[in-house]
Amino acid sequence: MRVRDLLDVLECRVEAGAAGLDNEVKGGYASDLLSDVMAHAGEGDVWVTVQAHQNVVAVATLVSLACVVVAGGVECEPEAARRAEEEGIPLLRSRLPAFEVVGRLYVAGIRARPGAD
Amino acid sequence: MRLECRVTGGDFQAAGEAAAKLKRTLRQVGIDAETGRRAAIVAYEAEMNIVIHALRGVLSVEISPECIEILANDEGPGIPDIPLAMQEGYSTAPEHIREMGFGAGLGLPNMKRYSDEFRIESVVGRGTSVRMVIKIASKGSQT
Ligand SMILES: Nc1ncnc2c1ncn2[C@@H]1O[C@H](COP(=O)(O)OP(=O)(O)OP(=O)(O)O)[C@@H](O)[C@H]1O
Ligand SMILES: [Mg+2]
């Protein structure tokens, strides 16, 4: 599954980083704590969060995530979008609450990766 | 090969740039993705601790064929009780920083977990230095 396949599933908009829409989605992780994501998310994961500032993009880039989904209709900060564009990491924004986003990802076959401990 | 980046306390705009630069450099010199990821994680946590908890510091990295050595030295308040600071969940980050998703108290445990060697020293009222080494997996061996 590619990032672009998530757009309809999550009814979301691409805020920035469209260059990465063909990234393969290998798993998923949900958290609003940056160090927690650092420790447990894996390369190629979709990250669901309600944080929408530029440090989110920095973390996503460092751990080579597939994309970031900002849930709950939270506005993305302009600096986050700028950075996502620069790094080519898709920053997606969904009006759906985080719970619903994760549920739909699960139904679409995305799982937490084994060993995300 | 050597890399050095200044890190400024409180500067959340530039935060993460030192770690990002390290990750790019490691990719350019052909370090495997997993080793690069570990180095980026520990460098980022060290960098953010300077941004969040200290006044200013320097992140320096030495890359050799065998290992990546990362030093984070800062001027700042120091850490009075290191074993306590090393515990998962312990954080003194103020509320406005927690709201950004920092302050889980996982940074130091992450640094220890993702590095092969980890040492932290601190003088209260002076500053903190962290040294981490990540071994570069030679072909055929497994981490
Ligand atoms: N460079 C430093 N200077 C002063 N105090 C520090 C420094 N690094 C860590 N500390 C102290 O150790 C505590 C634990 O650090 P740790 O990185 O594990 O968690 P955190 O930075 O609070 O949260 P997180 O890293 O999960 O965002 C900090 O809250 C702080 O009190
Ligand atoms: Mg920290």
Side-chain angles (χ1 to χ4, degrees):
Chain A
M1 180 168 272
R2 310 268 153 191
V3 173
R4 70 170 73 251
D5 302 322
L6 302 179
L7 302 180
D8 283 343
V9 177
L10 303 179
E11 301 170 29
C12 60
R13 246 180 55 181
V14 183
E15 293 281 311
L21 284 178
D22 285 317
N23 289 348
E24 191 187 348
V25 181
K26 299 180 185 167
Y29 200 74
S31 177
D32 299 316
L33 299 173
L34 305 191
S35 291
D36 177 52
V37 174
M38 275 291 190
H40 303 297
E43 184 255 320
D45 277 356
V46 38
W47 173 17
V48 181
T49 181
V50 293
Q51 297 284 357
H53 52 82
Q54 54 165 317
N55 295 280
V56 166
V57 179
V59 167
T61 310
L62 288 172
V63 289
S64 310
L65 301 184
C67 66
V68 179
V69 179
V70 176
V74 174
E75 289 292 341
C76 295
E77 290 184 15
E79 194 51 30
R82 195 191 63 75
R83 199 109 160 212
E85 194 60 37
E86 200 175 282
E87 300 284 356
I89 173 135
L91 184 63
L92 313 179
R93 177 167 171 259
S94 177
R95 298 213 148 271
L96 303 171
F99 185 88
E100 181 72 22
V101 168
V102 172
R104 290 193 187 191
L105 288 172
Y106 196 90
V107 169
I110 310 285
R111 297 290 182 271
R113 43 178 73 231
D117 57 350
Chain B
M1 177 174 190
R2 206 179 144 77
L3 264 176
E4 210 171 87
C5 287
R6 279 176 197 288
V7 182
T8 310
D11 184 355
F12 285 90
Q13 291 292 314
E17 277 177 8
K21 188 171 159 192
L22 171 62
K23 191 179 181 193
R24 276 195 299 273
T25 307
L26 292 176
R27 191 184 307 141
Q28 279 159 11
V29 300
I31 304 283
D32 69 286
E34 184 51 29
T35 305
R37 200 177 93 91
R38 286 168 62 208
I41 291 173
V42 303
Y44 180 78
E45 296 289 7
E47 181 181 2
M48 288 318 301
N49 276 1
I50 300 175
V51 173
I52 295 171
H53 307 292
L55 296 171
R56 66 186 72 84
V58 177
L59 197 80
S60 37
V61 183
E62 184 79 48
I63 306 162
S64 71
E66 298 80 35
C67 66
I68 304 160
E69 182 187 33
I70 300 168
L71 299 173
N73 291 312
D74 71 57
E75 292 166 43
I79 304 175
D81 186 341
I82 290 179
L84 181 63
M86 290 300 304
Q87 282 178 22
E88 280 196 16
Y90 177 82
S91 175
T92 59
E95 189 51 38
H96 69 279
I97 287 181
R98 288 176 195 254
E99 276 167 13
M100 294 202 289
F102 297 107
L106 290 173
L108 289 172
N110 279 354
M111 289 184 235
K112 181 157 188 204
R113 166 161 177 234
Y114 283 107
S115 54
D116 295 303
E117 282 175 43
F118 174 87
R119 196 197 62 207
I120 179 166
E121 284 165 3
S122 191
V123 179
V124 172
R126 277 266 195 79
T128 302
S129 32
V130 180
R131 176 180 179 268
M132 294 170 289
V133 175
I134 290 176
K135 292 188 186 134
I136 297 171
S138 54
K139 290 197 180 71
S141 79
Q142 200 47 266
T143 45

